[in-house]
Amino acid sequence: MQPHSRRTFLALGLITLTAACTSSNGADPNGAVMPGNKGPGPDPDNPVRLRAIAATDTLLAAYDTALATPGAQTALLQPLRAETAQHRAALAYGMPAASVPPAPTPGTPTATPTHTPATLAALERQTAQSRLTDLGAAQPPLARLLASVAASNALHAAALGAPLDQTPDQPSPTAPPTAAPTPGTSLPALQNALSAEHAAIYGYGVVGAHLPEDQQRADARTAYTAHQSQRDAWQRLLTTLGATPTPAAGGYQLPFPVTDAPTATKLAAHLETRLTTVYADLVAAVPTPQRPTAATALRDCALRAHHWGAPDTPFPGIPEPVPTPTATRQS
């Protein structure tokens, strides 16, 4: 519905996000949604989580091997390993201790080939793909976590030197859906994603106007075009479902004044970071055929946020599920 005022708050960060599947989720003391099973009986997510934990353990062992290599880039690798350990803790949260294999001990390399940043980047991308492959088999809260961790794997690959466009093979965000989601609970989340894309497009218009005519402005144009394409995809999908796509507002109030190139790049980072939250929630809200598309959008926004200087986090788009004493990495 069109708002009463043509000037609305910027949708990214100031709108009320649609919560998905919150009634049966556990939560940590800080209120973060957890994937753990809280009811009686076996957790149907356990097979998916055990596969995700095994893939994470392979990564941890590879980092330990790389860190034990003479001349290892410790300052780069140690924070990435610490974040990978946080992924493992989140994936294992709520599982009986006896069912979770022991984690590799830090500093104890296994009998694996020597790992370099390039081979670690390839392994991070491979691990991200395995998370996304399991999206359809997971319950919504775990699917949300898997998509977030896959985005973090992509950020790790970028930190290790992989080009930002070398990401796991996934359907294009603008590709036609393979099956239409069931109208109902997914519609508010889809409309919310569309509203957020409207706001991002407006925001990038402001960003581009304050950047010099150089590579930064070219990057802003590329991001602007990507968000237009994603907006169009959501509009088509909503129309297919028989819903009226939410129109763009006439204007949006920015979260802070944008007056020069530094504040413009800060706004771009803000836009992309807020969109990761929108898309993490969307992964949990839509039916399984649409989860890869939402997860791809989450990953792409996380990579663009990284490009614009936003600090990386272990769980793009969601609060940290398992508090740990390890400091998070700053890009």
Side-chain angles (χ1 to χ4, degrees):
M1 177 179 293
Q2 185 74 359
H4 294 296
S5 169
R6 296 292 289 174
R7 285 183 84 246
T8 65
F9 285 108
L10 185 64
L12 304 177
L14 297 180
I15 58 175
T16 301
L17 300 181
T18 302
C21 306
T22 56
S23 60
S24 61
N25 298 341
D28 75 354
N30 295 326
V33 175
M34 306 298 296
N37 176 48
K38 300 301 180 183
D43 184 348
D45 276 335
N46 277 352
V48 177
R49 293 206 279 164
L50 286 171
R51 286 195 294 272
I53 290 168
T56 306
D57 285 346
T58 299
L59 261 180
L60 288 171
Y63 275 110
D64 288 337
T65 300
L67 284 164
T69 302
Q73 300 178 44
T74 304
L76 169 64
L77 300 181
Q78 281 186 338
L80 298 180
R81 191 207 186 276
E83 289 187 1
T84 304
Q86 289 179 271
H87 297 164
R88 190 187 200 278
L91 292 164
Y93 179 85
M95 296 181 72
S99 68
V100 180
T105 303
T108 306
T110 58
T112 58
T114 300
H115 284 284
T116 66
T119 61
L120 287 171
L123 186 57
E124 287 279 9
R125 292 199 299 271
Q126 176 185 330
T127 306
Q129 181 61 49
S130 71
R131 319 276 193 211
L132 300 182
T133 299
D134 258 339
L135 284 179
Q139 297 299 305
L142 179 58
R144 179 172 176 258
L145 177 62
L146 288 172
S148 175
V149 174
S152 182
N153 292 137
L155 288 168
H156 287 187
L160 290 162
L164 293 185
D165 59 349
Q166 287 192 16
T167 48
D169 294 332
Q170 281 295 306
S172 166
T174 59
T178 55
T182 303
T185 57
S186 64
L187 284 179
L190 288 168
Q191 294 281 22
N192 188 62
L194 175 58
S195 295
E197 289 293 353
H198 285 319
I201 291 165
Y202 177 91
Y204 267 104
V206 176
V207 169
H210 289 86
L211 292 177
E213 192 64 53
D214 59 9
Q215 186 59 49
Q216 280 193 322
R217 182 174 287 189
D219 292 343
R221 289 195 190 102
T222 299
Y224 180 84
T225 301
H227 288 296
Q228 285 182 315
S229 296
Q230 186 66 80
R231 174 205 60 192
D232 294 346
W234 298 139
Q235 287 176 330
R236 288 194 299 270
L237 179 56
L238 285 161
T239 300
T240 299
L241 295 173
T244 301
T246 300
Y252 295 86
Q253 182 172 321
L254 301 178
F256 47 80
V258 178
T259 58
D260 53 20
T263 52
T265 56
K266 180 181 176 182
L267 177 60
H270 173 88
L271 294 171
E272 300 293 354
T273 299
R274 294 303 186 179
L275 270 168
T276 63
T277 301
V278 172
Y279 285 122
D281 287 348
L282 188 63
V283 170
V286 295
T288 55
Q290 276 63 53
R291 286 178 181 174
T293 301
T296 298
L298 165 59
R299 179 203 67 202
D300 291 346
C301 290
L303 288 170
R304 284 193 292 263
H306 169 89
H307 172 76
W308 292 115
D312 296 338
T313 70
F315 303 98
I318 60 176
E320 293 183 25
V322 179
T324 72
T326 303
T328 58
R329 171 172 55 91
Q330 300 291 312
S331 68

